[in-house]
Amino acid sequence: MTNTKQNNNNSEKERLDFIRQIVAEDLKTNKWDGRVVTRFPPEPNGYLHIGHAKSICLNFGIAAEFAGQCHLRFDDTNPTKEEQEYIDSIIEDVHWLGWDWEGHLYYGSDYFEQMYEYAVQLIKKGKAYVCDLTAEQTREYRGTLTKPGKDSPYRNRSVEENLNLFERMKAGEFPDGSRTLRAKIDMSAPNLNMRDPVMYRILHAAHPRTSDKWCIYPMYDWAHGLEDSIERITHSICTLEFENHRPLYDWFLEKLDAYHPQQIEFARLNLTYTVMSKRKLLKLVQEGHVAGWADPRMPTICGLRRRGYSPQAIREFCRRIGVNKFNSTVDIALLEHCLREDLNKTSPRVMAVLKPLKVVIDNYPEGQVEELEAINNPEDPNAGVRKVPFSGELYIERDDFMEEPPKKFYRLAPGREVRLRYAYFVTCTDVIKDENGEVVELHCTYDPATRGGDAPDGRKVKSTLHWVSAGHALEAQVRLYDHLFTKENPDDAVEGEDFKSNLNPNSLEILASCRVEPSLAGAAPGSRYQFERLGYFCVDPDSSDSKLVFNRTVSLRDPWAKIQKAQKKK
Ligand code: ATP
Ligand code: MG
């Protein structure tokens, strides 16, 4: 092998994360006959969140990069918590992220019959038994990390008796919780998962897909490996907490002499200021702390979508964080940085005023309206220009004026000249206040020679403000969002309280009477814009022709870029 080739191989190895390295190596050695088959196996008991996106991008990404396939499989083995609503949303969200399972959509429940057959095989091999211990007794017999377990008194039932009882369990002869089918492994195994784990429980509950056909349901560890095996998955990728379930995964498939995928674990995504457990997210929804799963403050895919996130931003974030074996928490600033990078390239610029302050241009010809040219996106040469109406009555941002400006405030103040973007230089000549002393209107003069925003005499101004024409602007409601929690780690609560005590009471601020430029008339829900100088905003589904509603997706200030700059300097 030549040196260059070696170098190439090395750099390829460096580029690949440890899972992709395994897949590449397996292809080289032809371990799976050249196949790469992964799966994303959500339990349909909630909506997908940004953590799931990491797993989705990993599984579908590997399939795409190695010319394999990725299955979308619903791990629907627990009928009491699963719903069609969740199934539909998961399908929508995976598609929205830009992935496709190419017809490989499966349900664990489709394999119930096969799983049952496999269980019968294990019984016949003397590797499984029907146990009559109650749930509480089973727990007691199990022992602890420091104390070995005790054999169940039912452990040595004959194969015939086990077959008979198991069949009757299936036939519905016994009440819920009265019996289980357990694997016969080792009650003193150091790994608690190997202490005769339960494979089936009795549960007289209708299943969304199999209805009343079954009253015994497989446990996760039993079902999951079989699902992988039946679908002939090659690489079964899961999160770290399943590392010590792997011996059991392997044990079942070995004892059955079944097709046996390789389970590989990676670290789950944790994000600052965010909870990711479906149980906790469900609580937030049920207790009304948020307006449903798709609330723009939620870390769910549908929440992020409504907030204005693009699939590209989420995918880029997943690429940047990579995969590894160590649990850590990612700074949410990185997610927002990826979002800004994408939106900066793709969002048309418009002018909008969130907290309007009226400005009257005293020397502007009465009744005149000009159409001034504005650049749609300086980052995109193909985005072109548009016309924005300018008139003698405008709105500017209330925060862009101060009657008594401190030293570093360069925006508008009495007697001061500033630029109105794409328009003219204006100078503030008068301040009108109401009876409470609050500023309600400014009077200015404009310099007609500065049309377009430059002075022919070369004079400079220190700031440029955005604005809208009062008579042309559209009213809009704007919803400003902040992190849902006040603490980096929401689970870090004072004693006696839980994560909900760290909810941010100011995570939503609604501005009811904003003004946006008229080009936004009829903007479709989901469309994204940069409001100049303010941030990125997305049209909410609540928006209509009569009432525009925007969500602030993210502000312009990018703390992550700052952190990176500082690191480069070091
Ligand atoms: P929860 O514990 O919140 O109920 P889960 O992991 O049980 O979540 P599943 O529906 O079983 O939810 O997850 C489907 C897949 O997504 C699994 O393979 C799981 O490992 C993966 N996944 C879930 N959460 C994360 C996360 N935070 N980071 C990476 N992958 C995740
Ligand atoms: Mg799970």
Side-chain angles (χ1 to χ4, degrees), residues 126-192:
K127 299 289 179 197
Y129 62 96
V130 172
C131 180
D132 302 356
L133 293 180
T134 63
E136 205 188 313
Q137 288 169 325
T138 307
R139 223 168 321 163
E140 275 167 28
Y141 274 70
R142 198 165 179 232
T144 63
L145 278 173
T146 50
K147 203 176 92 195
K150 265 192 316 189
D151 282 2
S152 159
Y154 307 98
R155 199 170 196 264
N156 291 318
R157 279 178 162 152
S158 69
V159 169
E160 289 68 36
E161 189 182 3
N162 282 321
L163 285 174
N164 174 273
L165 285 172
F166 188 48
E167 198 180 336
R168 288 166 59 198
M169 276 169 64
K170 181 191 178 209
E173 283 189 28
F174 310 120
D176 287 2
S178 60
R179 287 192 160 93
T180 57
L181 183 73
R182 299 176 67 179
K184 194 168 177 178
I185 308 180
D186 179 1
M187 287 308 291
S188 58
N191 183 342
L192 267 67

Side-chain angles (χ1 to χ4, degrees), residues 12 64 67 183 201 213 257 270 314 370 462 478 490 498:
E12 183 188 344
R201 62 201 165 125
K213 176 149 191 250
D257 210 6
N270 300 299
I314 295 174
E370 288 176 87
K462 280 200 168 148
V478 174
D498 68 359

Side-chain angles (χ1 to χ4, degrees), residues 47 70 72 135 209 237 284 335 345 408 453 459 464 472 486:
Y47 281 68
C70 179
L72 174 60
R209 290 179 59 84
I237 302 167
L284 293 177
L335 175 63
K345 280 183 284 176
K408 289 214 165 146
R459 92 183 176 272
T464 300
H472 301 87
T486 53

